[in-house]
Amino acid sequence: MSRSSWGRTAVLAGMALAAAVLVFWGLLATPVEAAPAAAGAAPAAAGAAPAAAGAAPAAAGAPPVAIRMDRASVQASVGQRFELVSTIENQSGATLRGLIAHIDVVGTDPARYVDPEDWCTARTVFLDDLPGGSSADPRWEMQAVDSGPLLVWVTVSRPDGHAVAVGAPVHLDVGQHLQVNVGGVLPVVVGVPAAVLAGLALVTRWRRSPRPKV
C-alpha cells in the first residue's frame, strides 16, 4: 500500500473513531441529563424534614399553649408599681394539668445588675387544670427598682420541665426619676409627723399659758 493510500485510510479510520466516540457520548448524555431531575427530588424530600422538625417540640411534650401579654411595653419610673396580666390559652383539645407559669426579668444594659426577685416577689403561679380551648389569666405585681431598659416575659412549662413555651417579651423602660408617692403612702409619711409636731406644740403652749389663780 502506498503512502497516500495509507494516509487516506488513517484519516478515514480517525473519522470513524471520532464518530463512534460522538455516538457513544450521545448515548451517555441522556441518563446524565435526567440525573438533575432525580437530584432535584432530593431537596424536596429534604425540604420535608423541617416540617417534621417543627413537630418535634410537641412530640417532646411542649405544652400546646399560647401566651399573650396585656401590653407590649411599659414606661415607668424608679419606685413605681404596676401590674402585668398574661393570658395563657390551651390550644389543644385535651385538658392540661399541672402547668407552671413563671415570669422573668432581665436587663439589657450590661452595666446594671437586675435581680428578678426585687422586681416581682411572686414570680411563679401553679395553674389549675386548663380544659381544651380555655385560658387562665395570671397577674404579676411588679415594682421598678432601678432605671434602664429591661425585658419581661412569661414562660409555661410542665412539671417535668422538659419543654417550655415562651411568650413575647414586654419592653420595660424605667426612667431615673424617683416617684415620691409610691403606693399612695406620701400623705401618711408626711401627715403623721406633722400631726405629732402639732400635738407637741399644743401641749407646750398649754403648759406655758398662765393658769387662773384659785
Side-chain angles (χ1 to χ4, degrees):
M1 182 181 294
S2 63
R3 291 184 178 180
S4 58
S5 299
W6 177 259
R8 286 194 298 269
T9 303
V11 170
L12 293 175
M15 293 176 61
L17 179 61
V21 170
L22 290 176
V23 171
F24 181 74
W25 183 261
L27 293 175
L28 291 179
T30 301
V32 170
E33 290 176 355
V65 298
I67 305 173
R68 297 185 299 273
M69 304 299 293
D70 62 338
R71 44 190 151 169
S73 61
V74 175
Q75 288 187 339
S77 56
V78 174
Q80 181 178 348
R81 294 182 181 273
F82 57 93
E83 183 184 66
L84 294 178
V85 181
S86 57
T87 299
I88 300 172
E89 180 183 0
N90 180 1
Q91 295 184 325
S92 72
T95 299
L96 297 177
R97 295 180 172 85
L99 294 184
I100 305 170
H102 184 77
I103 195 169
D104 209 348
V105 184
V106 64
T108 59
D109 184 357
R112 294 184 179 274
Y113 171 74
V114 175
D115 186 352
E117 293 292 341
D118 295 337
W119 291 78
C120 183
T121 55
R123 297 172 52 217
T124 301
V125 175
F126 293 88
L127 302 179
D128 295 332
D129 292 350
L130 205 60
S134 64
S135 61
D137 303 299
R139 297 174 178 267
W140 314 92
E141 297 293 335
M142 311 284 295
Q143 182 175 12
V145 298
D146 197 3
S147 61
L150 301 101
L151 295 177
V152 181
W153 67 87
V154 173
T155 61
V156 175
S157 63
R158 295 183 184 274
D160 54 21
H162 287 170
V164 176
V166 183
V170 176
H171 295 261
L172 181 59
D173 185 13
V174 181
Q176 295 183 352
H177 174 67
L178 177 62
Q179 184 182 8
V180 178
N181 188 19
V182 179
V185 300
L186 182 60
V188 178
V189 173
V190 176
V192 171
V196 172
L197 291 176
L200 291 175
L202 289 175
V203 171
T204 302
R205 183 177 180 181
W206 178 78
R207 287 181 176 179
R208 291 180 179 179
S209 61
R211 295 180 174 81
K213 297 181 179 179
V214 179

